Amino acid sequence: MHQTAILGVGQTPVREHWDLSIRDLAVNAARAAMEDADVTRVDAIYVGNMTSGELSQQRQLGALVADYLGQWGVEAVKMEAACGSAASAMRMGLLAIASGEMDAVLVVGVEKLTESLGAKTTAALATAADADYEVVQGVSFVGLNALVMQRYMYEYGYTRYDFAPFALNAHANGAKNPNALFRAPISQKTFDRGRIVADPISLFDASPIGDGAAALLLVPAEKAPAAVRVIGSASAIDTLAIHDREDPLWLKAAEQSAQRAYQQAGVGPEEIDFFELHDAFSIMAALSLEACGFAEPGQGVRMGLNGDILPTGRLPIATMGGLKARGHPVGATGLYQLAEATLQLRGDAGEAQIEDVKVAMTQNIGGSGATVVTHILEKSE
Amino acid sequence: MHQTAILGVGQTPVREHWDLSIRDLAVNAARAAMEDADVTRVDAIYVGNMTSGELSQQRQLGALVADYLGQWGVEAVKMEAACGSAASAMRMGLLAIASGEMDAVLVVGVEKLTESLGAKTTAALATAADADYEVVQGVSFVGLNALVMQRYMYEYGYTRYDFAPFALNAHANGAKNPNALFRAPISQKTFDRGRIVADPISLFDASPIGDGAAALLLVPAEKAPAAVRVIGSASAIDTLAIHDREDPLWLKAAEQSAQRAYQQAGVGPEEIDFFELHDAFSIMAALSLEACGFAEPGQGVRMGLNGDILPTGRLPIATMGGLKARGHPVGATGLYQLAEATLQLRGDAGEAQIEDVKVAMTQNIGGSGATVVTHILEKSE
């Protein structure tokens, strides 16, 4: 089985891109990745996206992106796993390289969310949850996460203010990333005054939607000995609906995919130098830290309060702003995480660079923990 | 690289399934495939679907299907390439087996189209074409195919009546398939009187939409020496918009994917015993026959007129009814084709069984030839 190296990285800034269509966004990021890798022809293109059929009236994004890259004749297809779409496209890229059938694979995540009316976008995003048993109750996606956060606070005795470090860290880091949507640090006072979106989730616990695309150019590791390598990769699903889980506070799929990735990589949580986690809501950041073995149950929030998650801490997270400050173009997010982790390992993270990093983990989540995709990357020797 | 065997086949009848949700359809077909294979646990589930986000307000079908099959913890994701979604899911299944990472993979195609209002479904299906440069002109998907058929008749001197054999053959074969939507043979007179949908395409040139699901259980070939084997598999893309092609009458991606599949399989068109092609419209059947090397340009229609495509002919097509009579639940169709080809090779095609078949080809097309996925299957020795 071939190991895979990440030879090229491309991304667009996360913005409200009124002047760019979904094809422009995807092609811009993909071209940047190909140029970064100095590759002009690929064997396959896997595109992660959630909502283009509904919000841009455009399906068949694989063919669309390949067509506008001039890559006629290649294999191209779209993957969808709600907010976990982009890392799912990465998975397919890795399987394609591992199969021995492909020598250069482009994986692209793209999403354009801000063109539609807010209500339409909210409805499209709600399709990540269970239509028949969750959404039918009238609960929105943020509403579902609010219920989980409420329960967490009740079980472990926290207040909503204890979640502030996740937002403060993300905004401080995003300020150093030119591709981030929000580039201003926020204070504890700003957090405390945050307008409640769905009690107890405030504006500063919720990641903003945005338009954007990120892409990676993958090759067999033996062809690029100096490039960042993928040493662990696994995807796992849990029940789609939260109420079907034994414990609504335990992301079992996150645990399973992380454990598999650790095993493949031959490392444990203690070897991970930083973690690009799926902080769509601050409660999800806390639950991910716990499910992946970085904190005991109920102690994820404590890692924030202790400063462990800062760039100088034990386990930096959201080093380029995370979903919270870089922005969350849902079907692109998983590849933004992987792109940012790659840049950090290459030492190309600019102002956001963290020191002495060799092993990175990323985790992309679809729905409220239903699809979880974990990757572990390693700097070349 | 591991070769793959098809150990289990499952399908639901194609119908207007008012009493079944998209999850029911997918799970019913998937369960049938697992039972057929006598397998209770899989490593991954890849789901092909086009429209569920818009028409069933449900995305993240990978997790949905895995959840309701009780396959928590597995990898699961959805693939979309318009009408080529299901064969694209098959491609991912094959890559996963070839990678050596997976030992049992379930591939499922599912679509539920008849629950929505017709206009909404037509709009959802139009997202297979180029939103910005085709659909914006007001042309529907059948309208695009009508333009191609018009051009074909003009170039090669046919009338619309010359396309009748495709419909007659499909309906005669569908009558023998209990899972087909239409189970009555039609006469030339019926065809001739067919109401025009988009000139020159009549009701009998156009495949009907429907609800349905089909599934295959895949394993490494060495683990199932008696099962049907996949000996060729390739996907290729062309321009998304027809007007961007050098020749609107040449399905270049069909040619490329077929040639690659022939090469992998070590066979040519003359070794193919029957061909489950993508007869979404009769013009597409003719163009596929030509692009895959079964007929010279302009001679695809002639194969119909000569009787070559009949169950007793040189190259039987649509042996279980094809898209035309079995029905075309778009994101499921590619796996119906593969399921039917497998049943034929196993000798399990019932009344529709054709004699002495060893090598089968299937071709699933997304959009008007934008994504084309070809598979070649072989009977075990």
Side-chain angles (χ1 to χ4, degrees):
Chain A
M1 183 172 149
H2 297 266
Q3 275 207 317
T4 298
I6 299 172
L7 194 56
V9 175
Q11 53 182 317
T12 73
V14 179
R15 299 284 184 268
E16 295 193 17
H17 284 292
W18 299 101
D19 56 339
L20 296 175
S21 71
I22 195 161
R23 92 180 68 201
D24 298 325
L25 290 168
V27 164
N28 289 354
R31 279 228 181 90
M34 291 175 72
E35 279 167 23
D36 186 40
D38 197 18
V39 162
T40 55
R41 180 78 188 164
V42 299
D43 299 310
I45 300 176
Y46 302 120
V47 179
N49 170 267
M50 179 177 176
T51 66
S52 78
E54 202 165 344
L55 300 185
S56 299
Q57 290 74 55
Q58 184 66 67
R59 286 190 173 78
Q60 216 178 170
L61 283 194
L64 179 85
V65 174
D67 183 8
Y68 279 77
L69 283 170
Q71 300 286 320
W72 306 289
V74 305
E75 166 159 297
V77 61
K78 178 190 118 154
M79 277 79 199
E80 187 268 313
C83 310
S85 298
S88 297
M90 176 71 171
R91 281 284 309 145
M92 294 306 112
L94 296 176
L95 289 174
I97 297 281
S99 76
E101 208 180 292
M102 311 281 184
D103 277 336
V105 175
L106 190 60
V107 288
V108 186
V110 63
E111 201 79 52
K112 186 153 176 62
L113 291 169
T114 66
E115 205 165 59
S116 305
L117 291 176
K120 193 171 177 188
T121 305
T122 300
L125 294 176
T127 61
D130 191 311
D132 294 344
Y133 299 107
E134 289 183 322
V135 183
V136 74
Q137 314 293 344
V139 67
S140 68
F141 200 66
V142 57
L144 282 168
N145 281 274
L147 292 169
V148 174
M149 183 168 165
Q150 197 71 262
R151 181 80 194 174
Y152 187 95
M153 287 161 50
Y154 171 80
E155 288 286 346
Y156 300 119
Y158 292 105
T159 71
R160 81 167 191 84
Y161 306 101
D162 295 324
F163 290 80
F166 293 113
L168 270 61
N169 173 63
H171 280 272
N173 295 344
K176 301 178 205 153
N177 175 7
N179 291 315
L181 178 61
F182 293 143
R183 303 206 54 207
I186 62 164
S187 66
Q188 177 80 41
K189 192 182 278 183
T190 304
F191 180 89
D192 292 349
R193 288 180 182 164
R195 185 163 55 81
I196 297 295
V197 182
D199 189 17
I201 289 181
S202 85
L203 208 57
F204 296 105
D205 289 302
S207 59
I209 62 169
D211 306 329
L216 297 180
L217 194 294
L218 308 177
V219 297
E222 64 267 24
K223 301 209 173 173
V228 168
R229 301 163 84 92
V230 183
I231 57 171
S233 168
S235 182
I237 72 102
D238 198 348
T239 67
L240 190 58
I242 298 173
H243 59 244
D244 281 336
R245 300 183 192 155
E246 221 168 300
D247 180 355
L249 297 182
W250 189 250
L251 297 179
K252 194 164 184 182
E255 178 194 10
Q256 289 173 313
S257 75
Q259 287 300 332
R260 266 179 235 155
Y262 288 144
Q263 202 168 7
Q264 288 169 16
V267 303
E270 57 289 347
E271 269 92 23
I272 303 297
D273 293 323
F274 66 101
F275 181 23
E276 297 301 338
L277 49 60
H278 194 89
D279 57 332
F281 300 98
S282 46
I283 178 65
M284 290 304 280
L287 296 182
S288 293
L289 289 169
E290 297 169 16
C292 297
F294 296 108
E296 292 296 310
Q299 299 299 306
V301 166
R302 190 70 49 199
M303 285 185 71
L305 295 168
N306 290 348
D308 294 335
I309 63 171
L310 298 173
T312 52
R314 174 162 69 90
L315 183 77
I317 67 171
T319 69
M320 308 282 276
L323 282 61
K324 180 66 196 84
R326 176 235 298 125
H328 184 26
V330 292
T333 288
L335 277 160
Y336 272 103
Q337 296 174 313
L338 284 156
E340 291 162 357
T342 305
L343 293 176
Q344 289 282 9
L345 292 174
R346 290 189 346 190
D348 290 341
E351 274 186 72
Q353 185 67 50
I354 42 176
E355 299 302 315
D356 288 328
V357 284
K358 283 183 185 160
V359 180
M361 186 155 107
T362 66
Q363 187 166 73
N364 188 202
I365 301 185
S368 312
T371 303
V372 185
V373 189
T374 306
H375 285 99
I376 301 177
L377 311 183
E378 187 181 42
K379 191 179 178 171
S380 56
E381 295 305 315
Chain B
M1 183 172 149
H2 296 266
Q3 274 205 320
T4 298
I6 299 172
L7 194 57
V9 175
Q11 52 182 317
T12 73
V14 179
R15 299 283 185 270
E16 295 193 17
H17 285 292
W18 299 102
D19 55 338
L20 295 176
S21 72
I22 195 160
R23 92 179 68 201
D24 297 326
L25 289 168
V27 164
N28 288 353
R31 279 228 182 89
M34 291 175 72
E35 279 167 22
D36 186 40
D38 198 17
V39 161
T40 54
R41 181 75 189 166
V42 300
D43 298 310
I45 300 176
Y46 302 120
V47 179
N49 170 266
M50 178 177 176
T51 66
S52 79
E54 203 164 345
L55 300 185
S56 299
Q57 289 76 55
Q58 183 66 68
R59 285 191 173 79
Q60 217 179 169
L61 283 194
L64 179 85
V65 174
D67 183 7
Y68 279 76
L69 284 169
Q71 300 286 317
W72 305 288
V74 305
E75 165 158 297
V77 60
K78 178 190 117 154
M79 277 78 199
E80 188 268 315
C83 310
S85 298
S88 297
M90 176 71 170
R91 281 283 308 144
M92 294 305 113
L94 296 175
L95 289 173
I97 296 281
S99 76
E101 207 179 294
M102 311 279 185
D103 277 335
V105 175
L106 189 60
V107 289
V108 186
V110 63
E111 201 80 51
K112 185 152 178 63
L113 291 170
T114 66
E115 204 165 59
S116 305
L117 291 175
K120 193 171 176 188
T121 304
T122 300
L125 294 175
T127 61
D130 191 312
D132 293 344
Y133 298 108
E134 289 183 322
V135 184
V136 73
Q137 314 293 343
V139 66
S140 67
F141 200 65
V142 58
L144 282 168
N145 281 274
L147 292 169
V148 174
M149 182 168 165
Q150 198 69 264
R151 181 79 195 177
Y152 187 95
M153 287 162 50
Y154 170 82
E155 288 285 346
Y156 299 119
Y158 293 105
T159 70
R160 82 167 190 85
Y161 305 101
D162 295 324
F163 289 80
F166 292 114
L168 270 63
N169 173 63
H171 279 272
N173 295 344
K176 301 179 206 152
N177 175 8
N179 291 315
L181 179 61
F182 294 144
R183 302 206 55 206
I186 63 164
S187 67
Q188 177 79 41
K189 192 182 277 182
T190 304
F191 180 89
D192 292 350
R193 289 179 182 165
R195 186 161 57 80
I196 297 295
V197 182
D199 188 17
I201 290 181
S202 86
L203 208 55
F204 296 105
D205 289 302
S207 59
I209 62 168
D211 305 329
L216 298 180
L217 195 291
L218 308 176
V219 296
E222 65 268 24
K223 301 209 173 173
V228 168
R229 301 163 83 92
V230 183
I231 58 171
S233 167
S235 181
I237 72 101
D238 199 348
T239 67
L240 190 58
I242 297 175
H243 59 243
D244 280 336
R245 298 181 194 157
E246 222 169 299
D247 180 355
L249 298 182
W250 190 250
L251 296 179
K252 195 163 182 182
E255 178 194 10
Q256 290 173 312
S257 75
Q259 287 300 332
R260 265 179 236 155
Y262 288 144
Q263 204 169 3
Q264 289 169 15
V267 303
E270 58 288 345
E271 269 92 22
I272 303 297
D273 293 323
F274 67 101
F275 182 23
E276 297 301 337
L277 49 61
H278 195 89
D279 56 333
F281 301 98
S282 46
I283 178 65
M284 290 304 281
L287 295 182
S288 291
L289 288 169
E290 297 170 15
C292 297
F294 297 108
E296 292 296 309
Q299 299 299 307
V301 167
R302 189 71 50 200
M303 285 185 71
L305 295 169
N306 290 346
D308 294 335
I309 63 171
L310 298 173
T312 53
R314 172 162 70 90
L315 184 78
I317 68 171
T319 68
M320 309 282 277
L323 282 60
K324 179 67 196 83
R326 175 234 299 125
H328 184 27
V330 293
T333 288
L335 278 162
Y336 272 103
Q337 297 175 311
L338 284 156
E340 291 162 357
T342 304
L343 293 177
Q344 289 282 8
L345 293 174
R346 291 192 341 193
D348 289 341
E351 275 186 71
Q353 185 66 50
I354 43 176
E355 298 300 316
D356 288 328
V357 284
K358 283 183 186 159
V359 180
M361 187 155 106
T362 65
Q363 189 166 74
N364 188 202
I365 301 185
S368 312
T371 303
V372 186
V373 190
T374 307
H375 285 100
I376 301 178
L377 311 184
E378 188 181 41
K379 193 179 177 168
S380 56
E381 293 307 312

